[in-house]
């Protein structure tokens, strides 16, 4: 019986429950066993428990800034913010001083009496609440704040955090831990522009900091380092999330010009391109740097031999050099500066209209296990350009740093601890560079929905690593991290907030491994081709914008051709687990009665491989709707021979926790 005929027969049956996805002998390929075309997902009566987006999201649909199909609406808007920063790093004291001009373009339809700034460095201040331990640095000192050319006074903080923006506002600014609320002298009208100037300083945390720091005063990595405008969006309005350390950030797009002053002989890389190479580098180094994008091999802009001032870098009159970096259309800016760095470069093909891009790797050559990071970065940029979206920025940098940075992503640059090596280093480089897409290009709200960047990045990384080492992609059924948190009873919901979790370990699995695993399951369920097309569409649709989870859900449901609320509810909002078990198989003439139980809380399709005495196999998929209102279900399954074995999820595409009950075998004779 051919596939079409089998389909016809079953769709005419009243319940349309069983779907045979492939036919007979000798055996069917892995591709054929895939319930492609969304067939396994047909839900022919109302979904179990519809997802209810928050009121702000529903209002955005109403206002036409978002569409029900998960795309930006005709009236979509977001704030645009440009930064111009002059910063000096003094290695001996670890003091960073800067003056900054912020230009806020109010591309929103709302009048804005206040602008909120993140002062992330205050997470290191005495008394600041935080989700993890750290050393105390005193936080950030603001020595001057102006708005629209008017000098602003510091006002006492309001008693309660939620009152910051309420009531009449007098011009001035209030600092409340990691946030500053600026009351503008004049409200900013829609379409208006206001300039905010801030002079500030802080001391870089040497050890026990996180996501930034310095290594023996020889390498500095600056992130969460400048007063940054908080997002004002169409769903939640003014973001006022404090920085507590675990949740990361949520930022708007803009252009940056950053002048970084460091001692002569030091090297500076960061978000953006170096625009004054002739002022800081020897002509030979300038030529090497310029030639790199065209290359496939690795070359050295600065090697160990020419690291001193006056060699690869120019001598200076006063002992200092100012490096100018410029970046367009980025949502953040980070800097790595080192007195002990060497600088390796190569190029990468991205398929983007801008042509090949520059790949950079800076590291301390005493730790030369880091040298392969250049090639790892090259592979990652090329792989993700192909799988997700052509890389739109002119360069990508891996920068070695202190243990405190672990592995942390910023636009065009990642900080990675010097401790990573070999496959581990490749894994971190690939993971962090995948973040250049999510959340740097696709600008999600990480603080609240960490899975939208970490989960998708975990998924992306697994594909890229499998491609690099030419190994199979890891299966959801083998996911040890997920299995561990279930055993330890530490599950947290994927849609939970990183800073509000009971179990940090559970929260990290909920942000990384579990959603990463579920992307593989989803890809299998809706078919690889459809999933991959959806994934590209999602990234291109939301590039340089702010997608919310409900946008992702809607676009994925559209790709699947069916509502996936049955999937989001238990797996993304709930703490579901999966344990499907075969209770009984009663073979008959031309069909078998198969009884399957759902022993846990999670709903998934039931995918069974039937094996026959002649060695042929077939795959049968029951849609998730078989679980409506029941934990045990018996269905007639058409058979095309004498059954020897039936296995649930033989290929490990689902996160079934107990596979000992997934098989039925015929008893001989
Ligand atoms: Zn990550």
């Amino acid at each position: 019986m051919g596939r079409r005929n089998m389909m016809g027969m079953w769709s005419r049956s009243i319940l349309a429950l069983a779907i045979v996805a492939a036919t007979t002998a000798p055996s069917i390929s892995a591709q054929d066993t895939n319930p492609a075309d969304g067939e396994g997902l047909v839900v022919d009566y109302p979904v179990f428990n519809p997802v209810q987006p928050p009121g702000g999201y529903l209002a955005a649909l109403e206002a036409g800034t978002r569409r029900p199909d998960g795309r930006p609406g005709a009236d979509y808007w977001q704030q645009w913010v440009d930064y111009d920063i002059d910063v000096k790093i003094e290695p001996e004291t670890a003091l960073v001083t800067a003056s900054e001009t912020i230009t806020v373009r109010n591309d929103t339809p709302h009048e804005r009496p206040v602008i909120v700034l993140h002062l992330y460095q205050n997470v290191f201040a005495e008394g600041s609440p935080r989700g993890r331990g750290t050393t105390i640095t005193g936080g950030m000192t603001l020595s001057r704040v102006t708005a629209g050319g008017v000098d602003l006074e510091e006002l006492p903080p309001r008693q309660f955090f939620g009152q910051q923006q309420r009531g009449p506002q007098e011009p001035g600014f209030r600092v409340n831990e990691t946030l500053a609320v600026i009351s503008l002298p004049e409200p900013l009208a829609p379409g208006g522009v206001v300039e905010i100037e801030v002079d500030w300083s802080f001391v870089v945390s040497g050890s026990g900091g996180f996501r930034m720091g310095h290594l023996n005063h020889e390498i500095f990595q600056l992130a969460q380092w400048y007063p940054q405008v908080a997002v004002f969006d169409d769903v939640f309005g003014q973001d006022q999330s404090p920085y507590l350390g675990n949740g990361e950030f949520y930022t708007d797009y803009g252009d940056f010009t950053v002048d970084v002053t460091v001692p002569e002989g030091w090297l500076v890389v960061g978000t953006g391109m170096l625009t004054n190479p002739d002022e800081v580098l020897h002509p030979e180094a300038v030529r090497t740097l310029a030639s790199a994008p065209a290359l496939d091999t690795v070359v050295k802009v600065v090697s160990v031999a020419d690291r001193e001032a006056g060699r690869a870098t120019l001598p200076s009159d006063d002992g200092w050099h100012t490096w100018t970096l410029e970046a367009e259309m980025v949502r953040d800016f980070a800097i790595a500066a080192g007195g002990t760095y060497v600088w390796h470069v190569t190029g990468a093909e991205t398929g983007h209209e801008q042509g090949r891009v520059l790949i950079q790797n800076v590291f301390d050559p005493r730790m030369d296990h880091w040298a392969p990071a250049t090639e790892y970065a090259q592979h990652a940029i090329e792989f993700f350009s192909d799988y997700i979206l052509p890389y739109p920025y002119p360069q990508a940098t891996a920068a070695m740093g202190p243990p405190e940075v672990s592995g942390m992503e910023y636009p065009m640059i990642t900080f990675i601890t010097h401790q990573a090596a070999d496959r581990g280093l490749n894994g971190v480089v690939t993971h962090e560079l995948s973040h250049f897409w999510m959340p740097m290009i696709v600008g999600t709200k990480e603080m609240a929905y960490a899975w939208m960047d970490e989960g998708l990045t975990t998924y992306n990384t697994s594909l890229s690593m499998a491609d690099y080492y030419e190994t199979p992609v890891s299966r959801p059924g083998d996911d040890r991290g997920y299995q561990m948190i279930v055993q330890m009873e530490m599950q947290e919901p994927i849609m939970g907030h990183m800073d509000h979790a009971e179990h940090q370990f559970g929260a990290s699995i909920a942000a990384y491994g579990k959603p990463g695993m579920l992307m593989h399951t989803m890809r299998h369920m809706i078919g690889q081709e459809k999933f991959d097309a959806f994934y590209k569409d999602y990234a291109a649709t939301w590039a340089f914008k702010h997608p919310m989870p409900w946008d992702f859900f809607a676009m994925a449901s559209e790709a699947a051709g069916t509502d996936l609320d049955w999937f989001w509810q238990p797996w993304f909002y709930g703490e579901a687990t999966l344990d499907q078990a075969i209770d009984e198989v009663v073979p008959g003439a031309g069909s078998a009665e198969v009884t399957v139980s759902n022993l846990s809380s999670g709903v998934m399709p039931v995918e069974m491989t039937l094996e026959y005495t002649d060695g042929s196999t077939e795959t049968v998929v029951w849609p998730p709707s078989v679980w409506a209102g029941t934990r045990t279900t018996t269905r007639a399954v058409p058979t095309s021979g004498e059954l020897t074995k039936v296995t649930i999820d033989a290929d490990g595409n689902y996160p079934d926790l107990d596979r000992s009950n997934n098989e039925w075998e015929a008893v001989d004779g």
Side-chain angles (χ1 to χ4, degrees):
M1 195 183 288
R3 178 182 169 136
R4 289 261 152 244
N5 293 339
M6 189 70 90
M7 282 299 301
M9 186 183 92
W10 281 92
S11 62
R12 278 193 301 276
S13 75
I14 294 166
L15 292 171
L17 287 174
I19 292 164
V20 173
T23 53
T24 50
S27 70
I28 43 179
S29 71
Q31 191 57 45
D32 288 337
T33 63
N34 196 332
D37 308 326
E39 287 159 352
L41 298 178
V42 174
V43 179
D44 36 21
Y45 41 85
V47 291
F48 309 139
N49 187 5
V51 168
Q52 289 291 335
Y57 186 81
L58 300 175
L61 294 180
E62 190 77 21
T65 58
R66 292 181 192 242
R67 298 188 347 194
D69 64 4
R71 291 169 173 80
D75 295 323
Y76 181 81
W77 50 261
Q78 70 192 35
Q79 179 179 251
W80 181 270
V81 190
D82 294 325
Y83 296 85
D84 193 328
I85 307 173
D86 291 343
V87 58
K88 184 176 190 180
I89 304 170
E90 294 175 72
E92 235 165 84
T93 54
L95 180 67
V96 171
T97 45
S99 61
E100 174 181 2
T101 302
I102 306 168
T103 308
V104 182
R105 205 171 77 196
N106 184 19
D107 289 346
T108 87
H110 301 275
E111 184 171 89
R112 311 275 303 283
V114 304
I115 298 290
V116 178
L117 297 181
H118 291 288
L119 305 179
Y120 300 109
Q121 282 301 314
N122 281 348
V123 79
F124 300 116
E126 183 86 50
S128 257
R130 59 183 82 86
R132 38 165 113 176
T134 185
T135 48
I136 302 301
T137 65
M140 179 173 270
T141 305
L142 305 183
S143 50
R144 188 176 72 105
V145 179
T146 77
V150 178
D151 280 321
L152 297 180
E153 295 286 314
E154 181 164 1
L155 308 170
R158 292 237 161 96
Q159 191 180 358
F160 299 110
F161 186 77
Q163 295 177 349
Q164 285 286 14
Q165 286 200 58
R166 295 186 200 156
Q169 302 280 340
E170 57 209 287
F173 69 97
R174 300 175 198 276
V175 175
N176 199 333
E177 289 140 8
T178 56
L179 292 168
V181 177
I182 295 181
S183 304
L184 297 172
E186 297 284 337
L188 182 60
V193 173
V194 67
E195 264 189 13
I196 295 167
E197 295 176 322
V198 190
D199 292 348
W200 46 266
S201 62
F202 69 90
V203 173
V204 178
S205 172
S207 64
F210 34 84
R211 300 201 176 101
M212 58 165 302
H214 68 80
L215 188 59
N216 306 322
H217 298 261
E218 293 172 333
I219 290 172
F220 281 75
Q221 299 200 315
L222 300 191
Q224 290 84 43
W225 61 285
Y226 59 95
Q228 183 186 59
V229 174
V231 171
F232 189 96
D233 70 27
D234 63 317
V235 173
F236 296 108
Q238 179 65 64
D239 181 43
Q240 294 195 75
S241 310
Y243 181 54
L244 301 176
N246 289 323
E248 290 173 354
F249 30 57
Y250 182 37
T251 50
D252 275 312
Y253 289 87
D255 298 340
F256 283 75
T257 301
V258 179
D259 291 311
V260 187
T261 301
V262 292
E264 61 173 350
W266 278 53
L267 301 180
V268 176
V269 290
T271 302
M273 290 295 274
L274 177 65
T275 55
N276 67 337
D278 297 333
E279 292 171 24
V280 290
L281 289 173
H282 187 276
E284 184 58 35
V286 175
R287 273 193 294 276
T288 307
L289 188 59
S291 71
L295 302 175
D296 267 325
T297 52
V298 176
V299 291
K300 296 169 184 177
V301 177
V302 179
S303 66
V304 181
D306 51 24
R307 209 173 48 193
E308 304 291 309
R311 297 196 187 190
T313 49
L314 298 175
S316 89
D317 299 335
D318 61 356
W320 297 87
H321 264 314
T322 297
W323 299 58
T324 302
L325 301 175
E326 293 185 32
E328 289 178 6
M329 208 113 155
V330 289
R331 53 172 285 183
D332 199 359
F333 200 101
I335 297 165
T340 58
Y341 272 153
V342 292
W343 190 354
H344 292 191
V345 289
T346 187
E349 182 59 55
T350 64
H352 191 275
E353 57 191 20
Q354 68 172 324
R356 292 176 64 90
V357 300
L358 172 67
I359 303 293
Q360 313 189 92
N361 171 17
V362 291
F363 62 100
D364 185 323
R366 288 170 292 188
M367 300 168 226
D368 65 356
H369 60 273
W370 241 77
T374 328
E375 289 149 65
Y376 298 154
Q378 180 186 44
H379 175 266
I381 290 294
E382 292 189 343
F383 182 87
F384 297 132
S385 285
D386 182 49
Y387 185 67
I388 309 171
L389 193 77
Y391 186 64
Y393 295 125
Q395 63 94 354
T397 301
M400 195 194 81
E404 284 72 24
V405 300
S406 180
M408 190 57 206
E409 68 279 7
Y410 302 96
M412 301 185 225
I413 185 168
T414 171
F415 300 166
I416 299 173
T417 167
H418 66 81
Q419 294 160 322
D422 302 320
R423 195 185 166 112
L425 177 60
N426 194 358
V428 189
V429 168
T430 304
H431 176 102
E432 305 309 334
L433 266 62
S434 166
H435 278 310
F436 290 179
W437 279 262
M438 290 143 180
M440 298 310 161
I441 297 168
V442 181
T444 53
K445 185 174 182 171
E446 303 171 88
M447 283 222 188
Y449 313 112
W451 69 271
M452 293 183 82
D453 76 305
E454 297 300 355
L456 300 191
T457 284
T458 302
Y459 165 75
N460 298 338
T461 304
S462 68
L463 295 182
S464 181
M465 290 291 278
D467 181 74
Y468 186 93
Y469 292 106
E470 298 178 354
T471 51
V473 177
S474 51
R475 313 180 320 164
D478 298 329
D479 195 294
R480 301 238 333 263
Y482 170 64
Q483 291 164 4
M484 212 186 296
I485 50 158
V486 172
Q487 275 160 14
M488 295 163 80
E489 299 185 353
M490 282 189 178
Q491 275 221 82
E492 295 282 346
I494 289 175
M495 282 291 284
H497 194 296
M498 281 296 273
D499 283 312
H500 306 159
E502 184 183 355
H503 307 289
Q504 273 310 314
F505 181 46
S508 76
I509 298 291
Y512 291 75
K514 187 175 163 189
M517 169 187 88
L518 290 170
M519 287 302 117
H520 284 290
T521 299
M522 200 166 109
R523 190 187 195 205
H524 173 77
M525 288 192 301
I526 76 179
Q528 199 163 308
E529 223 170 277
K530 277 186 181 178
F531 181 90
D532 291 355
F534 144 71
Y535 208 63
K536 280 184 162 71
D537 185 20
Y538 165 73
T541 299
W542 286 101
F544 312 111
K545 296 189 176 74
H546 297 313
M548 294 291 165
W550 311 282
D551 298 313
F552 184 92
F553 294 165
M555 286 188 76
S557 290
E558 184 187 75
T562 183
D563 200 314
L564 291 177
D565 283 11
W566 65 266
F567 180 64
W568 314 125
Q569 277 289 6
W571 294 101
F572 280 67
Y573 284 89
E575 296 168 18
T577 55
L578 184 71
D579 182 16
Q580 295 178 347
I582 297 190
D583 296 339
E584 195 179 23
V585 176
V586 183
S591 75
E593 292 267 301
V594 179
T595 303
V596 177
S597 280
N598 193 14
L599 301 178
S600 196
S601 54
V603 174
M604 284 288 184
V606 182
E607 191 172 321
M608 285 176 287
T609 303
L610 314 183
E611 293 177 44
Y612 298 108
T613 46
D614 66 357
S616 65
T617 61
E618 286 181 303
T619 299
V620 176
V621 183
W622 292 349
S625 55
V626 300
W627 300 120
T630 185
R631 288 295 179 117
T632 298
T633 184
T634 303
R635 311 282 154 183
V637 172
T639 52
S640 58
E642 197 180 328
L643 275 178
T644 57
K645 194 175 177 187
V646 179
T647 310
I648 293 177
D649 188 26
D651 296 327
N653 291 306
Y654 298 90
D656 194 318
L657 290 168
D658 180 1
R659 288 175 186 273
S660 68
N661 52 23
N662 284 23
E663 284 183 10
W664 169 89
E665 280 187 90
V667 182
D668 282 343

